[in-house]
Amino acid sequence: MSDIDLTDTTPDDVREEGVVDEVPPDQLAFDVGDFPGGLRGAVEAVLMVVDEPVTELALASALEVPVPDVETALAELEEGYAAQQRGFCLRNVGGGWRVYSRPEYAPVVSKFLLDGQQARLTQASLETLAVIAYRQPVSRSRVAAVRGVNVDGVIRTLLTRGLIEEVGTDEESTANLYGTTATFLERLGLQSLDDLPALAPYLPEVDVLDEIAESGRS
């Protein structure tokens, strides 16, 4: 798999390798008023790590504050980004909030992504791609369970490169499931997934991954 002619040095790939698997319980207790940026800063921090729109209720629950306070913070952030002409904006899409790059910068973003497709993938990307290839369809949490680190950044990179794609949702957890694409097979010179080397027996079984993922959330 290391023969893929791509290079990737994206911050997401680098950052995800340094993610701490577990945070001590005593560090999970907080008061948003103690943070330098207060509630707005806390809301902003959460929005920077979500990969799909999040509701006011979900934010309020996570931050342990009233929903109206979260609504006010979101409105202030949205107005602030617009007034400062930032390269990103806050949008309410489908009943949830998420940070997006501003439409005006679409040419810049597109050029960056297209240029990035000529880069070589990092070891983190290759390992994540291998897990998806052998365990597809597989959810993000199961991939993270195998690798032992957060894989959000790498998943985004692989999606951008067109090497993986969403192939459905898990019936129980409703999590997105990922699989490899025709581009993946083409880049590796394979006719089908049956041509992959026999590495699957060395990966944990699905039931084991479920137990690992569940323990990581407890």
Side-chain angles (χ1 to χ4, degrees):
M1 231 168 275
S2 57
D3 292 332
I4 296 179
D5 189 17
L6 299 167
T7 315
D8 178 59
T9 56
T10 61
D12 282 328
D13 276 347
V14 175
R15 185 167 56 248
E16 70 92 30
E17 286 299 301
V19 172
V20 178
D21 292 337
E22 294 186 10
V23 179
D26 59 338
Q27 293 185 21
L28 294 176
F30 59 82
D31 183 335
V32 293
D34 295 335
F35 296 125
L39 177 57
R40 279 190 301 175
V43 170
E44 187 174 45
V46 173
L47 291 172
M48 289 299 174
V49 299
V50 299
D51 57 3
E52 58 186 21
V54 60
T55 66
E56 293 96 334
L57 180 59
L59 287 168
S61 177
L63 300 176
E64 300 179 355
V65 296
V67 172
D69 290 354
V70 169
E71 293 174 341
T72 298
L74 288 168
E76 291 175 348
L77 287 172
E78 182 179 25
E79 294 173 2
Y81 294 158
Q84 297 168 25
Q85 297 184 328
R86 305 297 294 266
F88 52 87
C89 60
L90 183 58
R91 294 167 51 194
N92 187 339
V93 178
W97 293 83
R98 186 180 176 187
V99 173
Y100 296 86
S101 59
R102 295 187 67 84
E104 297 90 332
Y105 293 95
V108 176
V109 175
S110 296
K111 184 177 187 303
F112 173 79
L113 294 178
L114 291 175
D115 287 349
Q117 292 188 26
Q118 305 305 315
R120 186 182 294 274
L121 289 176
T122 64
Q123 186 65 30
S125 294
L126 290 172
E127 291 174 1
T128 300
L129 184 58
V131 174
I132 294 174
Y134 284 104
R135 285 300 183 193
Q136 60 184 305
V138 63
S139 67
R140 190 184 308 242
S141 63
R142 288 181 178 174
V143 176
V146 174
R147 296 209 51 230
V149 293
N150 183 286
V151 296
D152 290 354
V154 176
I155 290 291
R156 287 194 293 270
T157 296
L158 295 176
L159 286 169
T160 298
R161 300 293 191 271
L163 296 172
I164 65 172
E165 62 185 350
E166 293 184 5
V167 294
T169 57
D170 183 82
E171 293 183 359
E172 294 183 2
S173 66
T174 71
N176 290 331
L177 298 176
Y178 298 92
T180 52
T181 64
T183 299
F184 166 81
L185 295 175
E186 178 184 344
R187 298 309 296 268
L188 267 70
L190 304 176
Q191 292 295 323
S192 71
L193 293 175
D194 294 333
D195 296 330
L196 284 171
L199 298 179
Y202 297 97
L203 294 175
E205 294 299 324
V206 172
D207 291 343
V208 175
L209 296 184
D210 287 337
E211 293 177 5
I212 296 174
E214 186 62 31
S215 64
R217 290 193 291 268
S218 59

